[in-house]
Amino acid sequence: MRVAIASDHGGFDQKGEIASYMERELSCDVVDLGPDTGDSVDYPDYAVKVAHAVASGEADFGVLICGTGIGMALTADKVPGVRASSVTSAPFAELFRQHNNGNVVCLSGRFVSVEDNEAIVKAFLTTDFEGGRHERRVAKIMAVDEE
Ligand code: RB5
């Protein structure tokens, strides 16, 4: 499984640890789309890198980390084909996959510990979409991309 990851300065301190966790514990092929330092950057610039990697099929899933996860989610979700959300607990990560078929998870580097974010990422990457009645609802979300 190929996973694209990026952050801004608010998520930079956790990015390396979470990338290593995904490689080590979840056997992911991780592509780090930056930044390379913790200097101040604009989160939309990094959100679109990961969103485009997922939308193009270059990556199966995306992980974004900023201070809250909110700015990353707002930006990434605007890219057609992407279903992005800020997620702050493992149960929500499971539901994000089961019900919403989420493909980009956005984490808080300032309000959620790295251990809790690893549990979120694990749930996100190991839970399948349930399909069924959720298929129709997700199709309706994606139809908005065509408007
Ligand atoms: C940067 O200070 C902060 O606004 C950003 O990391 C994020 O929390 C935005 O949603």
Side-chain angles (χ1 to χ4, degrees), residues 8-10 43 66-68 70-71 110:
D8 72 354
H9 50 287
Y43 58 81
C66 65
T68 58
I70 294 171
R110 288 189 177 143

CSV table of all heavy atoms in Angstrom, one decimal, residues 8-10 43 66-68 70-71 110, ligand 1:
chain,number,residue,atom,x,y,z
A,8,ASP,N,2.5,20.7,7.6
A,8,ASP,CA,3.0,22.1,7.7
A,8,ASP,C,3.9,22.1,8.9
A,8,ASP,O,4.2,21.1,9.5
A,8,ASP,CB,1.9,23.2,7.6
A,8,ASP,CG,1.2,23.3,8.9
A,8,ASP,OD1,1.4,22.4,9.9
A,8,ASP,OD2,0.3,24.2,9.1
A,9,HIS,N,4.3,23.3,9.4
A,9,HIS,CA,5.2,23.5,10.5
A,9,HIS,C,4.5,22.9,11.8
A,9,HIS,O,5.1,22.5,12.7
A,9,HIS,CB,5.6,24.9,10.7
A,9,HIS,CG,4.5,25.9,10.7
A,9,HIS,ND1,3.9,26.2,9.5
A,9,HIS,CD2,3.9,26.6,11.6
A,9,HIS,CE1,2.9,27.1,9.7
A,9,HIS,NE2,2.9,27.4,11.0
A,10,GLY,N,3.1,23.0,11.8
A,10,GLY,CA,2.4,22.6,13.0
A,10,GLY,C,2.4,21.0,13.1
A,10,GLY,O,2.1,20.5,14.2
A,43,TYR,N,-0.1,25.6,4.8
A,43,TYR,CA,-0.6,24.3,4.8
A,43,TYR,C,-1.3,23.9,3.4
A,43,TYR,O,-1.2,22.8,3.0
A,43,TYR,CB,-1.6,23.9,6.0
A,43,TYR,CG,-2.7,24.8,6.1
A,43,TYR,CD1,-3.9,24.7,5.4
A,43,TYR,CD2,-2.7,25.9,7.0
A,43,TYR,CE1,-5.0,25.5,5.5
A,43,TYR,CE2,-3.8,26.7,7.2
A,43,TYR,CZ,-4.9,26.5,6.4
A,43,TYR,OH,-6.0,27.4,6.6
A,66,CYS,N,-1.3,19.0,10.3
A,66,CYS,CA,-1.1,20.5,10.6
A,66,CYS,C,-1.4,20.7,12.1
A,66,CYS,O,-1.4,19.7,12.8
A,66,CYS,CB,-1.9,21.4,9.6
A,66,CYS,SG,-3.6,21.3,9.8
A,67,GLY,N,-1.5,21.9,12.5
A,67,GLY,CA,-1.8,22.2,13.9
A,67,GLY,C,-3.0,21.5,14.4
A,67,GLY,O,-3.0,20.7,15.4
A,68,THR,N,-4.1,21.6,13.6
A,68,THR,CA,-5.4,21.1,14.0
A,68,THR,C,-5.8,19.9,13.1
A,68,THR,O,-6.7,19.1,13.5
A,68,THR,CB,-6.5,22.1,14.0
A,68,THR,OG1,-6.5,22.6,12.6
A,68,THR,CG2,-6.2,23.3,14.9
A,70,ILE,N,-7.5,20.7,10.5
A,70,ILE,CA,-8.6,21.3,9.9
A,70,ILE,C,-8.3,22.0,8.5
A,70,ILE,O,-9.0,21.8,7.5
A,70,ILE,CB,-9.3,22.3,10.8
A,70,ILE,CG1,-9.9,21.5,12.0
A,70,ILE,CG2,-10.4,23.1,10.1
A,70,ILE,CD1,-10.4,22.5,13.2
A,71,GLY,N,-7.3,22.8,8.5
A,71,GLY,CA,-6.9,23.5,7.3
A,71,GLY,C,-6.5,22.5,6.2
A,71,GLY,O,-6.8,22.7,5.0
A,110,ARG,N,-0.7,19.3,17.1
A,110,ARG,CA,-0.6,20.1,18.3
A,110,ARG,C,-1.5,19.7,19.4
A,110,ARG,O,-1.2,20.0,20.6
A,110,ARG,CB,-0.9,21.6,17.9
A,110,ARG,CG,0.2,22.2,17.1
A,110,ARG,CD,0.0,23.7,17.0
A,110,ARG,NE,1.2,24.3,16.3
A,110,ARG,CZ,1.0,25.3,15.4
A,110,ARG,NH1,-0.1,25.9,15.2
A,110,ARG,NH2,2.1,25.8,14.8
B,1,RB5,C1,-0.6,27.1,11.5
B,1,RB5,O1,-0.3,28.0,12.5
B,1,RB5,C2,-2.0,26.5,11.7
B,1,RB5,O2,-2.9,27.4,11.3
B,1,RB5,C3,-2.1,25.2,10.8
B,1,RB5,O3,-1.1,24.3,11.2
B,1,RB5,C4,-3.4,24.5,11.0
B,1,RB5,O4,-3.8,24.3,12.3
B,1,RB5,C5,-4.5,25.1,10.1
B,1,RB5,O5,-5.7,24.5,10.1
